[in-house]
Structures are given as C-alpha cells and as structure tokens.
Amino acid sequence: FRPIFGLTAGLASLTVIAFVFSKLVFYAPLESDHDQIVQNAPSRENDHYQIVQNVEVPVQQIIHNPDTKQFPIQPLSDFKDMNGMIWLNDTTREMLMEINGLDVFSTRDYQLWIIYTNDEIRGELLTIDNGSSRIFIKGEDVKDFKLIKASLEPKGGSRKPTGPETFIVHLKEE
C-alpha cells in the first residue's frame, strides 16, 4: 500500500508543478525579439486587457466566429505597401490585427493607438517580424475600442501620437 501512496503523491506534486509552470510560461514575457506578451503595465492600472504579439493565437476560432466583425486596414498615402485586417468580437472581448508590408526603421517604431469610446487613448509598440505584425488583445476593454490607428514614433514610442500616421480603422460608428 505504501508504494502506491508514494506514487500517487508524486504524480499529484508533478501535476501541480506542471500547472504552475504552464501559467508562468504563458504569462511571463518571452525573451525572443519576435515574441512578446505584454500585460498591464503598472502605469496603466485602469486597463483591463492582455496583449499577445507574434505568437500563436486561435486565429481560425476568432475569424470564423459569427459574432466577429472584420475591418480591412487601409494604409494612408505614404504607406501604400501596408495591408492587413482587424477582427473584433465584442461578445468574446477579443481583437486580432494582422498587418503586412511594414518597413523596419533604425530610429523609429510603429506604435498602435487604441482610442476608446470615451476618447481615452492608449499606445502599444508593435513588434515587427519579417515586415509583419500580429497583435491579439483580449479583455474587458475590447468592447470599448472605438478606433485603432498606428503611427511611426521615435524609437521606444511616445506618450501620445507625434509621428506620421500609417493607418486608421474606425471600429464603432459615431
């Protein structure tokens, strides 16, 4: 009877360790230049969403959901090679953006600007991988997104948009 108890206790311990490790791996920032998970920064205590960039997300599940709305990204005049799509689902509180044709600049970063229905604005740097970026946002705030736009900002980003805008996508009718 004692060997079975020891085996059961050992398996239970391994299960708990695996569970804790999986949560740490999923929520901890990744070290790769191409993969980035960003949680609410301390300076943004009012944000209620999580962002994942350039990692596997359930794309098919999001884009084929009947409650998901699709918004094409139309580049502004100086960025004609850029193209992409935004999928927004207010019910599941998910937004997926895929964009291609992004040039890499040594002194500038692409920054995504999220404008809320109350006109509050939040900025997130985009991680570029071979001229493309994928960003997945999930959380309570998604239902309040009114407009998504991007701009070229000084390296490291800006507190507010200062550079040339690359695209603007209206998510809600005014």
Side-chain angles (χ1 to χ4, degrees):
F1 179 77
R2 186 144 173 77
I4 292 175
F5 176 76
L7 179 63
T8 304
L11 287 174
S13 296
L14 282 174
T15 302
V16 169
I17 291 168
F19 176 77
V20 169
F21 182 73
S22 71
K23 293 300 179 192
L24 289 173
V25 168
F26 182 75
Y27 288 105
L30 302 173
E31 297 300 322
S32 165
D33 289 340
H34 303 298
D35 297 339
Q36 181 179 346
I37 295 177
V38 180
Q39 289 186 326
N40 297 347
S43 62
R44 297 184 186 175
E45 295 166 0
N46 296 327
D47 288 352
H48 296 98
Y49 62 81
Q50 182 179 24
I51 293 181
V52 181
Q53 291 196 50
N54 295 332
V55 294
E56 289 302 313
V57 295
V59 173
Q60 298 303 316
Q61 179 181 332
I62 296 164
I63 65 176
H64 293 301
N65 184 319
D67 293 328
T68 300
K69 298 177 205 144
Q70 192 172 331
F71 301 90
I73 293 174
Q74 300 295 326
L76 297 176
S77 61
D78 292 340
F79 300 92
K80 291 186 190 299
D81 293 337
M82 191 180 294
N83 64 72
M85 192 68 65
I86 293 176
W87 293 271
L88 180 73
N89 189 315
D90 288 333
T91 305
T92 61
R93 297 184 174 111
E94 297 172 317
M95 186 192 92
L96 172 66
M97 181 186 83
E98 291 185 345
I99 189 159
N100 303 304
L102 301 172
D103 293 322
V104 177
F105 299 95
S106 61
T107 60
R108 295 176 102 25
D109 280 327
Y110 289 93
Q111 192 161 354
L112 189 72
W113 300 100
I114 302 166
I115 292 86
Y116 288 78
T117 52
N118 67 359
D119 292 325
E120 194 174 320
I121 187 168
R122 297 279 191 245
E124 301 290 344
L125 289 179
L126 291 180
T127 302
I128 310 303
D129 184 14
N130 293 321
S132 298
S133 186
R134 174 188 286 166
I135 185 167
F136 174 68
I137 303 174
K138 182 173 179 74
E140 190 67 31
D141 283 7
V142 172
K143 68 181 178 3
D144 297 321
F145 292 176
K146 174 174 80 172
L147 184 130
I148 301 293
K149 66 181 182 175
S151 61
L152 274 177
E153 298 297 332
K155 203 71 163 165
S158 301
R159 292 188 183 270
K160 61 182 182 176
T162 62
E165 292 181 338
T166 59
F167 70 84
I168 299 173
V169 177
H170 295 272
L171 303 175
K172 305 256 192 257
E173 300 289 325
E174 293 198 48

